[in-house]
Amino acid sequence: MSIHNNYVAILAGGIGSRFWPESRQKLPKQFLDLLGTGSSLLQTTFRRFEDVCPRENIYIVTHESYIAEVRKHLPEVPLQNIVGEPSRKNTAPGAAYISHKIHALNPNANILISPADHLIVNEREFERQVFES
C-alpha cells in the first residue's frame, strides 16, 4: 500500500454544545488545549497523521464559520484542504461529502475519517492498527 494513497479527513465542525462551559459555539472543543499540551485537539489530531499520510492528503471538514479558526490553528494546511460546510448536517453527510471529493481525486485512496476531538494515548499502536491492517 502506497502512503500516497492514504488520506485523512478530520471532522472539526462541532459547535461546542456537549462540553459547555469550556467549549462554546464561538470556540468549540476542537480548538481548545484541553490536555494542557500547548496544542489544541485539532492540532494534536493533525500532527498524529503527518507520519502516515502526506500533508497534502489531510483534509479538515468544518463549518464555514470556523474556516478562519482552522487556519489559525493549522496554517500549514492548504486552504483547498479546508472544506467548509454551509450548514451543519452532522457526521455522516460530512464524511460522505469528503469521501466523494477524495475519491474523485484518487480512486485508489484509503480514507480515514477521524474526529478532531478524540484522545489516543498510544499513538504508535493506533497508527499500526489503522494503517497496517
Side-chain angles (χ1 to χ4, degrees):
M1 169 173 56
S2 169
I3 190 171
H4 296 288
N5 285 334
N6 290 347
Y7 288 77
V8 173
I10 300 172
L11 303 179
I15 61 169
S17 62
R18 294 190 191 121
F19 202 66
W20 187 87
E22 287 81 6
S23 178
R24 302 163 311 286
Q25 187 167 355
K26 186 174 180 181
L27 196 67
K29 67 183 170 192
Q30 62 266 30
F31 302 117
L32 300 177
D33 176 10
L34 296 176
L35 304 174
T37 63
S39 295
S40 67
L41 294 176
L42 177 60
Q43 291 167 321
T44 300
T45 301
F46 178 82
R47 296 206 170 60
R48 176 177 301 124
F49 295 115
E50 284 186 302
D51 291 338
V52 295
C53 179
R55 184 181 277 184
E56 63 270 13
N57 290 5
I58 302 175
Y59 288 79
I60 313 298
V61 181
T62 191
H63 187 267
E64 61 187 14
S65 65
Y66 295 142
I67 291 174
E69 193 66 30
V70 169
R71 296 283 296 157
K72 280 176 37 182
H73 286 253
L74 298 172
E76 63 272 35
V77 173
L79 186 56
Q80 67 267 19
N81 287 32
I82 302 172
V83 178
E85 300 175 300
S87 63
R88 291 182 172 90
K89 299 291 186 192
N90 293 322
T91 302
Y97 175 72
I98 195 63
S99 295
H100 176 75
K101 181 178 173 98
I102 291 171
H103 181 74
L105 294 170
N106 181 350
N108 296 315
N110 305 305
I111 305 169
L112 174 69
I113 306 292
S114 173
D117 58 0
H118 60 284
L119 172 65
I120 305 292
V121 178
N122 186 338
E123 292 191 8
R124 294 298 155 224
E125 179 62 14
F126 171 77
E127 290 171 7
R128 189 185 72 71
Q129 291 290 329
V130 169
F131 290 103
E132 293 179 11
S133 298

